[in-house]
């Protein structure tokens, strides 16, 4: 592309564009890029997800990236300066991926902890959400990367997310749900807004002129572009007229030349409106190209970084977000020498939520690795899993080798003949993930129907009964050592494997010997799944072609009653126990909401029995929002560690052993029970509508108004430092057309805390 575009006059460019070129600019050619116009030197610019890392432009063969803590973890710091530094850091990550647009931050309201994407949003409080969103945007855009604040507006749950109509009062809309977006626009001016999937008071947000034009552009003076969420458009003329500049992803479903021309000929659209949308897009593209010349006109190669400096930064941010919720008897920081570490998350890489937040990390520190490395010299540490907490069986890439001995497994694409049978190979890849996502990449040369073969050798270090699980969006079968083990092809049961789509995980088990390789073979096809009934006997639609993929998991099949008993026995022998559990990206994800507040599996039982066996028990919860804690009175210590990114394990250890003095606070209220949540009974869609009947009483406002004692209140967080407040004086001082409240108080900090010098908390 010609760099002359940088100096071009946008209105002149619009005049030179052909109608078909204008239409092409209103959508994308693929999942992650804008449309170029070679004739006029208009370049394509790349975007990437967000919000806790920069994934890059492929789910299939992703470029590793640094994974930052989730939004609730960042919000726990209550520190806009620190969040701005995160934005700075992510801007550099975006540029390494040849991206100049990050699809972040998310600043929807945490209306209910059951929301599938709750972890992506900062808080239940609109002021805190907006302040931190502005800081995040400021950090990104100070480095020339455009922020795309999302999801505008009321994307607070995943239930029927493309259809449900959010019904709320005008005051609740303004004071709660629009407020964080307004603050971010006022203080940081995001370069782009992304619309939410659903409807607002009867109209899809991507087609809502009052939202996109009257409020956003006219009232708030927004001057950037508005794009849809992926497949979040539902027609042609309404969205264009409302102010939606860009349909994502491509190839377009709606903004095709034939459909747009038909709308123009029927006067549902005018060329003036098309030109308005095109002008917005070209102005945006030119602005980003000027700020990032080397990237926009560069080689397009995606890169990773993993430096000591980036590791230190990620570790600091992660530790800053850990909230100390309980510290009975000053059990923390830990100083004992015989520790048992128990729980389903101890050796798992639980670093982010699922969906748009998921990425391939450059590395990940598990809690076990962090605790083992961070414990004082002379400490003895023992481990037991206790019970499982997974939704899908754990992925197997760390134990797989290709037929030639390379790490991973071999993926071969095959074209089909005219009869739909496998014909010839097209391209091969070595994959290092047994979650194979095919929605944003396919090699050239495939026929309309096609297949992939996945081959590898699995070697375990333990003789055991091993259970495999196969999940699919499409059709797939699994053979182990040449024998068909799982058929997720001929008959399927719907599940939420892929953004709320796909099948349930079909399971089967075999005996495996330690050190003896097992041949693994998976055949997948993109042909639609079989028609038929779901498990309730109700008819279902075939999977849409936009979501394709297959997932292979597996682990030892254990007797959990025996496992819990063994964990209790280990706890009895230890000076202290660290229990690490919580949720995972398969429980908290885009596409579906959580079924309950409960911890999955038998974690509650494990925690209770271990705490009863050893009073010196500390629980560490990895989750993006609140969970129920029926065992909370039994444990002595409690950390809310959220999803803390690459450095999760080190951050947890830094707090446990006192290398970091915890100073984070809850950005949302933790309820004692689901019935206490403000949105209880109004969280899911009712006949296509989600009623926001709690109105203004969201979060702590609800608990205060109804005099409900929560499990832990908004803003709660302990510290290893002992301090007290006194001499509070409040005075009112006039300032311009408003009065300012001035607060003065004395904070007294003890010199010693738990036998060691401690720095004061914020």
């Amino acid at each position: 592309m010609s760099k002359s575009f940088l100096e071009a006059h946008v209105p002149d460019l619009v005049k030179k564009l052909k109608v078909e070129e204008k239409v092409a600019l209103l959508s994308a050619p693929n999942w992650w890029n804008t449309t170029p116009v070679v004739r006029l030197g208009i370049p394509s610019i790349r975007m990437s997800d967000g919000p806790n890392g920069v994934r890059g432009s492929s789910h299939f063969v992703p470029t590793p990236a640094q994974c930052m803590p989730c939004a609730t973890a960042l919000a726990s710091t209550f520190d806009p300066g620190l969040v701005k530094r995160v934005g700075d850091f992510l801007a550099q990550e975006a540029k390494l991926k040849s991206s100049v647009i990050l699809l972040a931050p998310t600043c929807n309201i945490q209306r209910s902890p059951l929301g599938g994407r709750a972890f992506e949003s900062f808080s239940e409080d609109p002021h805190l959400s907006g302040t931190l969103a502005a800081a995040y945007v400021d950090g990104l855009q100070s480095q020339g990367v455009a922020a795309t604040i999302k999801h505008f507006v009321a994307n607070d749950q995943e239930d029927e997310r493309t259809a449900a109509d959010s019904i709320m009062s005008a005051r609740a809309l303004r004071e709660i749900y629009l407020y964080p977006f307004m603050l971010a626009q006022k203080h940081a001016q995001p370069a782009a807004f992304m619309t939410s999937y659903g409807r607002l008071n009867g109209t899809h947000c991507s087609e809502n002129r009052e939202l996109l034009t009257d409020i956003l552009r006219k009232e708030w003076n927004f001057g950037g572009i508005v794009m849809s969420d992926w497949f979040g458009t539902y027609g042609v003329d309404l969205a264009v007229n409302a102010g939606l500049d860009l349909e994502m992803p491509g190839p377009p479903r709606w903004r095709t030349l034939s459909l747009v021309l038909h709308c123009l000929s029927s006067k549902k659209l005018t060329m003036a409106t098309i030109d308005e949308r095109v002008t917005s897009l070209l102005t945006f593209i030119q602005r980003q190209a000027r700020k990032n010349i080397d990237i926009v006109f560069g080689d397009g190669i995606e890169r990773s970084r993993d430096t000591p400096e980036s590791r230190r930064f990620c570790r600091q941010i992660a530790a800053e977000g850990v909230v100390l919720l309980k510290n009975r008897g000053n059990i923390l920081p830990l100083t004992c020498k015989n520790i048992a570490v128990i729980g389903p998350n101890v050796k798992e890489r639980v670093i982010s939520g699922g969906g748009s937040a998921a990425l391939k990390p450059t590395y990940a520190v598990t809690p076990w690795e962090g605790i083992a490395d961070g414990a004082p010299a002379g400490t003895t540490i023992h481990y037991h899993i206790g019970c499982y907490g997974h939704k899908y069986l754990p992925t197997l890439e760390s134990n797989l080798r290709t037929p030639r001995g390379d790490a991973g497994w071999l993926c071969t694409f095959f074209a089909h003949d005219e009869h739909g049978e496998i014909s010839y190979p097209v391209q091969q890849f070595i994959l290092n993930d047994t979650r194979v996502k095919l929605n944003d990449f396919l090699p050239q040369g495939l026929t309309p129907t096609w297949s992939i073969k996945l081959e590898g050798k699995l070697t375990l270090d333990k003789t055991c009964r091993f259970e495999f699980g196969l999940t699919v969006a499409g059709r797939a079968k699994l053979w182990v050592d040449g024998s068909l083990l799982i058929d997720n092809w001929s008959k399927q049961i719907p599940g939420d494997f892929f953004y709320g789509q796909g099948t349930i995980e079909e399971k089967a088990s075999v005996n495996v010997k330690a050190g003896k390789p097992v041949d693994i073979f998976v055949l997948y096809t993109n042909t639609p799944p079989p028609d038929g009934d779901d498990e309730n006997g109700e008819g279902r639609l075939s999977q849409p072609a936009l979501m394709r993929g297959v997932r292979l998991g597996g682990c030892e099949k254990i007797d959990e009653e025996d496992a819990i008993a063994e964990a209790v026995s280990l706890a009895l022998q230890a000076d202290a126990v660290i229990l690490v559990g919580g949720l995972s990206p398969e429980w908290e994800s885009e596409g579906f909401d959580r079924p309950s507040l409960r911890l999955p599996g038998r974690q509650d039982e494990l925690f209770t029995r271990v705490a009863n066996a050893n009073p010196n028990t500390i629980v560490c919860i990895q989750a993006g929002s609140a969970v129920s804690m029926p065992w909370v009175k039994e444990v002595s210590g409690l950390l809310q560690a959220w999803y803390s990114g690459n450095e999760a394990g080190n951050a947890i250890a830094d707090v446990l052993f006192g290398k970091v003095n915890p100073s984070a606070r809850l950005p949302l209220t933790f309820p004692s029970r689901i019935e206490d949540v403000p949105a209880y009974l109004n969280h899911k869609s009712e006949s296509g509508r989600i009623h926001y009947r709690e109105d203004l009483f969201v979060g702590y406002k609800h608990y205060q108004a109804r005099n409900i004692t929560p499990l832990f209140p908004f803003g709660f967080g302990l510290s290893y430092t002992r301090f007290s407040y006194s001499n509070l004086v409040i005075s009112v001082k006039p300032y311009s057309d408003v009065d300012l409240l001035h607060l003065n108080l004395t904070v007294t900090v003890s010199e010693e805390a738990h036998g060691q010098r401690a720095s004061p908390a914020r």
Side-chain angles (χ1 to χ4, degrees):
M1 294 296 168
S2 171
K3 293 183 181 180
S4 62
F5 168 72
L6 301 175
E7 305 303 324
H9 187 50
V10 169
D12 290 341
L13 277 178
V14 174
K15 292 177 182 177
K16 294 176 183 177
L17 285 166
K18 300 175 182 178
V19 174
E20 56 267 32
E21 292 168 336
K22 293 179 180 180
V23 173
L25 281 166
L26 298 180
S27 62
N30 52 43
W31 273 67
W32 303 114
N33 296 275
T34 62
T35 300
V37 181
V38 177
R39 184 177 66 86
L40 297 177
I42 299 170
S44 170
I45 61 175
R46 185 177 297 171
M47 59 194 76
S48 182
D49 265 328
N52 52 267
V54 185
R55 183 198 296 142
S57 61
S58 176
H59 289 98
F60 179 64
V61 281
T63 305
Q66 297 293 98
C67 184
M68 301 301 293
C70 68
T72 41
L74 296 179
S76 295
T77 69
F78 281 70
D79 188 343
L82 183 142
V83 174
K84 180 181 182 300
R85 290 173 59 202
V86 170
D88 293 338
F89 182 89
L90 290 174
Q92 299 305 318
E93 286 282 298
K95 293 178 181 181
L96 285 170
K97 300 296 186 293
S98 294
S99 293
V100 297
I101 310 165
L102 188 65
L103 304 177
T106 302
C107 72
N108 295 110
I109 294 297
Q110 284 223 22
R111 180 173 174 247
S112 167
L114 300 185
R117 304 181 81 167
F119 65 91
E120 283 191 44
S121 297
F122 293 107
S123 174
E124 67 188 25
D125 179 68
H127 182 78
L128 179 61
S129 297
T131 300
L132 296 182
Y136 186 110
V137 170
D138 192 25
L140 272 177
Q141 297 191 164
S142 68
Q143 304 298 318
V145 173
T148 308
I149 196 165
K150 60 186 187 181
H151 305 87
F152 194 59
V153 61
N155 194 162
D156 312 304
Q157 60 279 310
E158 297 296 286
D159 188 42
E160 296 185 0
R161 65 176 183 170
T162 61
D165 188 3
S166 294
I167 306 298
M168 67 179 73
S169 70
R171 187 177 176 190
L173 175 64
R174 289 286 187 164
E175 295 187 18
I176 305 294
Y177 299 98
L178 284 176
Y179 194 84
F181 291 96
M182 182 191 70
L183 279 185
Q185 168 60 19
K186 179 178 180 179
H187 296 301
Q189 293 82 49
F193 271 62
M194 180 190 292
T195 56
S196 62
Y197 282 112
R199 306 172 195 260
L200 175 66
N201 293 330
T203 304
H204 271 111
C205 292
S206 60
E207 301 174 347
N208 194 317
R209 181 175 178 82
E210 178 185 6
L211 190 63
L212 305 186
T213 296
D214 297 343
I215 294 175
L216 181 57
R217 285 195 167 95
K218 293 181 179 179
E219 187 178 324
W220 295 356
N221 296 316
F222 172 69
I225 66 163
V226 179
M227 69 176 73
S228 73
D229 204 336
W230 270 228
F231 302 103
T233 51
Y234 311 100
V236 183
D237 56 303
L238 292 178
V240 174
N241 287 327
L244 187 79
D245 300 301
L246 181 62
E247 175 190 345
M248 291 299 295
R253 285 181 156 192
W254 298 104
R255 296 184 178 187
T256 63
L257 182 60
S258 60
L259 289 178
V260 173
L261 288 177
H262 190 60
C263 287
L264 285 168
S265 66
S266 61
K267 300 301 181 184
K268 289 181 176 292
L269 284 176
T270 67
M271 190 54 69
T273 304
I274 297 288
D275 287 348
E276 200 176 314
R277 302 282 81 80
V278 170
T279 299
S280 291
L281 279 163
L282 290 181
T283 302
F284 173 79
I285 293 168
Q286 187 182 68
R287 185 187 304 125
Q288 289 310 109
R290 286 173 176 173
K291 292 178 179 178
N292 301 279
I293 296 174
D294 293 342
I295 295 171
V296 173
F297 296 97
D299 57 19
I301 295 174
E302 298 188 2
R303 299 170 174 86
S304 301
R305 65 170 170 174
D306 179 12
T307 65
E309 294 77 16
S310 66
R311 288 193 174 211
R312 282 194 296 270
F313 179 72
C314 291
R315 185 169 182 166
Q316 177 200 353
I317 301 300
E320 290 275 359
V322 176
V323 185
L324 177 62
L325 294 175
K326 188 173 183 180
N327 195 17
R328 185 172 64 201
N330 297 329
I331 191 172
L332 295 173
L334 274 175
T335 57
C336 53
K337 296 298 184 181
N338 181 21
I339 300 173
V341 185
I342 300 170
N345 285 25
V346 172
K347 292 190 175 182
E348 294 297 316
R349 292 159 44 130
V350 180
I351 62 173
S352 76
S356 296
L359 51 77
K360 181 180 180 179
T362 50
Y363 69 96
V365 182
T366 66
W368 172 254
E369 292 165 337
I371 291 168
D373 290 343
T379 304
T380 302
I381 306 175
H382 301 278
Y383 161 74
H384 198 286
I385 193 168
C387 71
Y388 286 141
H390 53 248
K391 183 176 187 179
Y392 301 108
L393 297 174
T395 55
L396 298 172
E397 57 272 0
S398 59
N399 299 103
L400 275 175
R401 293 275 170 180
T402 69
R404 292 187 176 182
D406 299 311
W409 58 343
L410 185 67
C411 173
T412 308
F413 283 85
F414 288 87
H416 287 188
D417 61 21
E418 65 273 17
H419 304 295
E421 301 296 327
I422 291 176
S423 179
Y424 56 89
V426 174
Q427 196 169 353
Q428 281 191 338
F429 300 87
I430 294 176
L431 305 182
N432 292 300
D433 196 335
T434 57
R435 293 163 294 190
V436 182
K437 297 180 179 180
L438 300 159
N439 55 304
D440 63 353
F441 169 82
L442 290 175
Q444 296 293 317
L446 288 180
T447 45
T449 62
W450 47 267
S451 296
I452 61 172
K453 293 181 179 179
L454 296 150
E455 304 168 84
K457 291 182 178 294
L458 177 73
T459 305
L460 303 178
D461 57 8
K462 182 179 181 181
T463 298
C464 63
R465 186 72 178 172
F466 195 83
E467 188 171 42
F468 289 93
L470 190 67
T471 319
V472 65
R475 300 192 195 202
K477 295 180 182 180
L478 167 68
W479 286 262
V480 175
D481 280 342
S483 298
L484 179 64
L485 186 66
I486 297 176
D487 181 349
N488 211 337
W489 181 299
S490 305
K491 183 179 180 181
Q492 296 183 342
I493 300 174
D496 56 17
F497 152 59
F498 207 149
Y499 298 104
Q501 302 177 58
T503 68
I504 67 164
E505 184 176 44
E506 296 291 349
K507 300 177 183 179
S509 57
V510 297
N511 292 320
V512 177
K513 291 184 178 180
K516 183 181 179 181
V518 175
D519 288 329
I520 303 297
F521 177 76
V522 172
L523 176 63
Y524 168 91
T525 180
N526 75 319
T527 56
D531 293 328
D533 296 340
D534 63 17
E535 67 271 26
N536 298 315
E538 298 175 355
R540 64 186 177 94
L541 298 174
S542 295
Q543 287 294 339
L546 64 100
M547 295 301 179
R548 299 178 293 252
V550 61
R551 182 189 188 282
L552 178 65
C555 66
E556 178 185 0
K557 198 172 178 65
I558 65 172
D559 184 315
E560 291 203 339
E561 183 59 40
D562 290 345
I564 292 174
E566 291 167 4
V568 170
S569 178
L570 180 62
L572 285 168
Q573 302 169 37
D575 297 330
V577 179
I578 302 169
L579 284 168
V580 187
L583 303 174
S584 71
E586 292 159 351
W587 291 105
E588 281 190 288
S589 175
E590 175 181 359
F592 52 87
D593 295 321
R594 287 165 54 192
S596 76
L597 279 179
R598 291 183 63 253
L599 290 176
R602 297 177 67 175
Q603 291 184 76
D604 287 333
E605 180 185 352
L606 172 69
F607 290 7
T608 300
R609 290 173 62 177
V610 167
N612 287 333
N614 190 324
N616 295 327
T617 293
I618 301 103
V619 170
C620 175
I621 294 294
Q622 293 181 293
S625 191
V627 299
S628 59
M629 301 179 181
W631 34 261
V632 69
K633 293 181 180 179
E634 312 302 324
V635 303
S636 291
L638 177 58
L639 298 179
Q640 179 73 20
W642 312 106
Y643 299 126
S644 297
N646 296 63
E647 289 285 341
N650 283 333
I652 290 167
D654 286 346
V655 174
L656 286 171
F657 297 116
K659 295 178 182 177
V660 169
N661 181 25
S663 58
R665 292 162 286 172
L666 292 179
L668 57 146
T669 306
F670 278 21
S672 295
R673 55 183 196 147
I674 189 61
E675 290 84 357
D676 293 340
V677 172
Y680 180 65
L681 297 182
N682 297 300
H683 178 65
K684 288 186 173 292
S685 175
E686 303 172 24
S687 302
R689 293 186 169 192
I690 298 173
H691 295 276
Y692 286 56
R693 293 188 173 101
E694 70 276 15
D695 201 49
L696 300 178
F697 295 95
V698 179
Y700 57 82
K701 301 180 184 71
H702 163 84
Y703 292 88
Q704 290 177 340
R706 294 189 177 272
N707 197 27
I708 297 172
T709 300
L711 184 65
F712 293 103
F714 174 90
F716 182 83
L718 303 175
S719 168
Y720 296 155
T721 304
R722 295 172 181 157
F723 53 90
S724 60
Y725 305 107
S726 60
N727 304 324
L728 174 64
V729 177
I730 301 175
S731 59
V732 179
K733 294 186 178 180
Y735 179 81
S736 183
D737 57 342
V738 298
D739 290 336
L740 294 182
L741 287 179
H742 282 242
L743 285 76
N744 290 280
L745 72 159
T746 301
V747 181
T748 304
V749 182
S750 68
E751 285 295 310
E752 298 295 323
H754 312 295
Q756 64 179 21
R757 186 175 180 85
S759 58
R762 280 189 303 275

